[in-house]
Amino acid sequence: MQDEQRGPQPLSRREFVAASASLGALGLVPRLFQDPPSDTDVRGEALGPFLGACELGQLRMWIRSPVPGRFGLDLSWFRAGTLAGGRVSTNKGCVARIESDLCVTQQFENLPPTRDVTVMNLGWGLGVQVPQFDKVDGRDKPFLRSLTQSIPLVCLGSDEFRLAVGSCANEKLGETNPAWKALLAAKPDALLLLGDTPYIDTTELDVQRRRYREFYSNPDLAALMQVTPTWATWDDHDFAGDGADGTAKGKENARRAFVEYHALASYGERDQGIYTRFQLGAADVFVLDTRWFSGTEPSFADATKPTLLGKQQWEWLTRGLKESTAPFKLLACGMVWNGAVRPNKPDYWMAYPHERQALFDFVAKEKIAGVVLVSGDIHRSRVYAFPPENTGVPYPLHELVTSPLGNHPMDAANVASKDLVFDSGDKHQFLLLDVERERLVARFHAAARGEVHRLELAHDDLRPHAAITPLARTDDGGSARTKVVMARSDVEDARLLFLGASTVERWHESTGAAHWTEHLAPLGAVDLGVGGDRTEHVLWRLDHGQLAGYARRLAPPKLAVVLVGSNNFAATPPSTLEEVAQGLDAIAGRLLRALPTSRVLVLGVFPRADLPDLPVDRIPRANALLRERLARRGERARFLDVGDVFLGSDGAVVKELLPDGLHPSAEGYRRAFARIDPVLSELLHD
């Protein structure tokens, strides 16, 4: 009764796949539209039907007729597991025209988004209209075909989707490619082709059209596109030629052929470009065009330099990013976003660094969450993690590179990069993105080896918030102290850096000074504590030269100790426990990258008793999350929680050890150090 009141509920992906399997039990295994082909089909190179851009309740179908003239399409749908009941039909009259190379895109609307209507039948035939599926056996009619398959999950709605992504396939007539069968076996809910699919290398219209026909004639690719909603963009080889930009002559022909041979919801704007956008559950996918506008006008980011995206596409993209409420925003294009490319390669985002940085600055300024970069082109599959200090975006930006679908990986593209996480030179590679409510799982596959790499991105880790966004101190006391500490960016004989807030500052200059002088000064300790600092302030210092001198040394400090985070709980508004853990983890990441031979010890946030509204379990829970995060950083990062030295047997803060409920007394420093000292000795002498 409750479900009836809420209306139809979307299928889970697991339910959908199970329902799809029932087609085989009914003997309704999908087959190609032109299988078996007639003589007319062969002569006319009939292709399809293929699924194009689909959305909730709507389906786009692409088809190439064997001959010009009118024909009919009939779409029926009914309940899963049976051919009876619930059938609804829609009949469309279509016209295949020579000037469109006999290509037709047809949109069907008002598909039922319900849990039990998951099967559709498509019939077609020459003439004004095709007879209804339930009245005529289409297989007995000349030029009449019918097929039965699952309604795409994209049309029905779900919380989970699988998006397949690939680039660089040069299929020609008679060639096989095991990637297509492997993709079909992976049961994606959508397919995104990022260009060089196929290679064309000219803007001559006849050649453009012929190569698309040859490409779609691959029976394994056709089988995939028959059951999988497909989106696409181009790269250089299917746009005009190797390294081509928007100045290519005849690019209008390339766009005309692209529009004819794809069934997208949009192709750029005002007959310019082919960029488009679609949504799969928690992912908003922006499919960029990095060819049409490139080099054709001054850049919107710097008028003295050429553009890549063009002002029109830039405005479309930024407008879409601002309005998107999806947890994940995938920015997908053929061109790679990184700078680690083979020598003399002209076409990559870092050849237009002004526009790349303008986009990152926009993401940071507008606090856009969940941005993930996707690319292809280079005939290798790779993963990059660009750190916040290099992009200006508060969270790490990941680039997922997937290439090639074909059989020609490129050794010259195996270029080193400090941001490189994964690299594969397999042939027949593709990417599967499992989109869920709170996470994105990237699975890189090679047809011959299966899954070769897996990366999981949690939405919570791709969300900008105060604790991970660098912030300068502007209050008089904090600003003055920051200047003092920033001047300690290259202290001679420094072996041990202490970064943090007032607890560090007081250890060196106030309550704990005697202990510091006796125990820490002999270890070469440097006080980099600023009273009142939160994690975001330490991040600001790290991004503005706090470690500059140490990073240039042949022998930098052996160890950096971090003690900060307590003030985040007292901020307005206070940071959540997850945010505090993320902020401290971000500090550790900055330190590990800036001092690649040093170790990092992050101390758990000390307990405090001066905030009556702070739940007693908040800091311990934040420390537990921090421990988990630092464990992923490897052996150079260590976590140590000594907060229990300040607590009595009843779990309450001992006033003699934290007199004001926040800062240690001299005895408090002594007890804390007694627990820290063995770890310091180990890490300093390792």
Side-chain angles (χ1 to χ4, degrees):
M1 185 67 179
Q2 186 176 1
D3 284 348
E4 292 177 3
Q5 293 175 346
R6 288 190 298 167
Q9 299 299 300
L11 284 168
S12 71
R13 190 170 190 279
R14 181 177 298 179
E15 290 172 325
F16 175 78
V17 171
S20 301
S22 68
L23 291 176
L26 289 170
L28 299 175
V29 179
R31 54 192 177 83
L32 291 185
F33 189 62
Q34 65 271 29
D35 179 24
S38 68
D39 291 340
T40 305
D41 289 342
V42 174
R43 289 195 305 271
E45 295 181 285
L47 296 166
F50 300 146
L51 295 175
C54 298
E55 55 194 275
L56 187 65
Q58 295 186 9
L59 178 148
R60 286 179 182 83
M61 189 80 69
W62 179 93
I63 191 169
R64 187 176 191 273
S65 174
V67 294
R70 300 181 68 83
F71 66 93
L73 285 173
D74 178 79
L75 187 69
S76 305
W77 50 85
F78 37 88
R79 295 188 180 94
T82 177
L83 296 183
R87 182 178 300 166
V88 181
S89 294
T90 182
N91 197 285
K92 300 280 187 178
C94 307
V95 180
R97 304 181 188 277
I98 293 176
E99 54 265 34
S100 299
D101 205 33
L102 308 180
C103 299
V104 174
T105 292
Q106 185 60 61
Q107 180 171 322
F108 295 92
E109 299 178 344
N110 301 318
L111 273 71
T114 67
R115 296 177 64 86
D116 59 347
V117 180
T118 61
V119 181
M120 68 180 183
N121 178 272
L122 180 75
W124 77 280
L126 299 183
V128 176
Q129 287 189 325
V130 62
Q132 293 286 328
F133 172 73
D134 59 338
K135 296 180 181 178
V136 177
D137 181 355
R139 290 170 293 183
D140 295 336
K141 295 294 182 181
F143 311 126
L144 189 62
R145 301 283 184 268
S146 71
L147 56 89
T148 303
Q149 62 190 51
S150 297
I151 296 176
L153 185 59
V154 178
C155 300
L156 301 175
S158 178
D159 293 330
E160 300 177 0
F161 290 96
R162 172 169 289 177
L163 172 63
V165 188
S167 69
C168 305
N170 195 24
E171 270 75 348
K172 297 178 180 177
L173 284 176
E175 291 185 347
T176 60
N177 183 343
W180 305 126
K181 283 187 176 180
L183 274 165
L184 185 61
K187 299 183 183 302
D189 303 305
L191 172 66
L192 173 58
L193 299 176
L194 291 180
D196 295 345
T197 46
Y199 280 60
I200 301 176
D201 290 313
T202 180
T203 57
E204 294 181 19
L205 184 58
D206 288 346
V207 179
Q208 284 264 341
R209 288 168 164 172
R210 174 175 57 80
R211 287 296 293 123
Y212 279 122
R213 293 196 299 271
E214 292 175 350
F215 188 58
Y216 290 166
S217 294
N218 182 303
D220 297 326
L221 171 59
L224 175 65
M225 294 176 65
Q226 176 185 300
V227 298
T228 311
T230 300
W231 286 262
T233 187
W234 53 28
D235 204 30
D236 52 342
H237 291 284
D238 41 356
F239 174 64
D242 189 28
D245 65 11
T247 64
K249 294 181 179 180
K251 67 179 184 180
E252 295 79 10
N253 290 333
R255 187 178 186 278
R256 178 176 177 177
F258 184 94
V259 172
E260 289 172 348
Y261 278 84
H262 296 85
L264 305 183
S266 61
Y267 307 84
E269 298 168 291
R270 299 187 287 277
D271 296 327
Q272 300 288 311
I274 58 166
Y275 51 89
T276 192
R277 173 185 175 188
F278 64 97
Q279 187 157 350
L280 289 178
D284 209 341
V285 186
F286 295 83
V287 186
L288 306 181
D289 178 351
T290 52
R291 298 293 167 178
W292 182 270
F293 299 97
S294 60
T296 62
E297 62 186 58
S299 173
F300 54 84
D302 185 341
T304 67
K305 298 175 181 177
T307 192
L308 173 63
L309 293 181
K311 182 181 179 182
Q312 174 178 304
Q313 185 174 195
W314 167 255
E315 292 176 347
W316 166 85
L317 174 59
T318 53
R319 184 171 61 249
L321 286 172
K322 285 184 69 172
E323 71 184 21
S324 176
T325 59
F328 299 100
K329 290 89 176 171
L330 308 184
L331 306 186
C333 59
M335 190 176 288
V336 294
W337 297 81
N338 64 87
V341 298
R342 67 182 187 275
N344 302 316
K345 181 174 175 58
D347 50 339
Y348 59 111
W349 270 88
M350 284 302 287
Y352 304 84
H354 46 292
E355 296 202 1
R356 181 180 184 265
Q357 191 57 52
L359 177 56
F360 294 168
D361 290 345
F362 176 84
V363 169
K365 178 182 177 182
E366 299 297 332
K367 300 180 180 179
I368 308 294
V371 172
V372 179
L373 312 174
V374 186
S375 63
D377 180 50
I378 62 170
H379 290 243
R380 296 191 78 85
S381 287
R382 315 192 102 187
V383 174
Y384 293 86
F386 304 122
E389 61 266 33
N390 293 343
T391 66
V393 177
Y395 54 86
L397 284 176
H398 292 81
E399 179 182 4
L400 313 177
V401 187
T402 176
S403 177
L405 283 163
N407 58 1
H408 296 291
M410 186 175 292
D411 290 339
N414 188 14
V415 179
S417 169
K418 67 182 186 310
D419 301 322
L420 184 65
V421 176
F422 161 75
D423 172 81
S424 170
D426 283 85
K427 56 186 178 181
H428 308 308
Q429 297 195 84
F430 56 89
L431 170 64
L432 298 177
L433 291 174
D434 288 335
V435 180
E436 303 174 8
R437 288 183 181 180
E438 296 295 333
R439 68 172 186 166
L440 182 72
V441 182
R443 306 174 192 272
F444 289 82
H445 280 250
R449 296 201 292 138
E451 186 176 309
V452 296
H453 185 70
R454 182 181 185 275
L455 174 69
E456 181 176 325
L457 300 175
H459 172 253
D460 194 54
D461 291 336
L462 306 181
R463 181 177 57 85
H465 54 80
I468 61 170
T469 303
L471 180 67
R473 291 287 295 273
T474 57
D475 58 293
D476 292 342
S479 178
R481 174 65 182 177
T482 296
K483 290 179 181 178
V484 170
V485 169
M486 293 294 285
R488 300 173 182 171
S489 63
D490 194 12
V491 176
E492 187 176 357
D493 298 327
R495 298 179 66 241
L496 173 61
L497 306 179
F498 267 80
L499 293 97
S502 55
T503 301
V504 173
E505 181 181 350
R506 286 169 173 244
W507 202 341
H508 175 230
E509 300 189 4
S510 181
T511 311
H515 185 276
W516 182 286
T517 300
E518 180 180 356
H519 296 282
L520 290 172
L523 298 178
V526 178
D527 162 23
L528 300 179
V530 178
D533 262 12
R534 301 190 294 271
T535 55
E536 55 263 41
H537 301 127
V538 176
L539 288 170
W540 185 92
R541 287 195 272 137
L542 292 174
D543 287 356
H544 289 80
Q546 180 72 89
L547 304 176
Y550 304 118
R552 290 192 295 265
R553 291 184 182 181
L554 293 177
K558 294 271 294 184
L559 178 64
V561 179
V562 179
L563 179 54
V564 71
S566 184
N567 292 323
N568 288 76
F569 290 112
T572 304
S575 300
T576 67
L577 56 94
E578 293 87 356
E579 291 169 349
V580 173
Q582 289 176 3
L584 285 160
D585 183 56
I587 292 171
R590 297 284 212 286
L591 290 166
L592 291 170
R593 289 187 291 270
L595 305 173
T597 62
S598 304
R599 306 286 289 274
V600 175
L601 173 63
V602 181
L603 298 177
V605 179
F606 286 180
R608 60 186 302 169
D610 62 327
L611 296 176
D613 293 333
L614 182 68
V616 294
D617 67 337
R618 184 63 56 88
I619 289 177
R621 289 171 60 198
N623 286 336
L625 290 173
L626 177 59
R627 182 191 299 274
E628 293 177 6
R629 286 182 172 275
L630 291 174
R632 304 172 201 155
R633 293 274 180 193
E635 62 181 14
R636 288 178 54 221
R638 182 81 67 88
F639 173 78
L640 179 63
D641 187 2
V642 301
D644 59 326
V645 303
F646 301 104
L647 304 178
S649 58
D650 60 353
V653 167
V654 177
K655 187 173 180 61
E656 290 75 12
L657 301 178
L658 291 177
D660 62 357
L662 175 62
H663 302 102
S665 63
E667 177 62 16
Y669 278 118
R670 188 192 69 77
R671 292 194 185 188
F673 181 77
R675 292 276 298 278
I676 299 170
D677 185 42
V679 180
L680 293 182
S681 298
E682 173 194 345
L683 297 179
L684 286 172
H685 299 95
D686 187 6

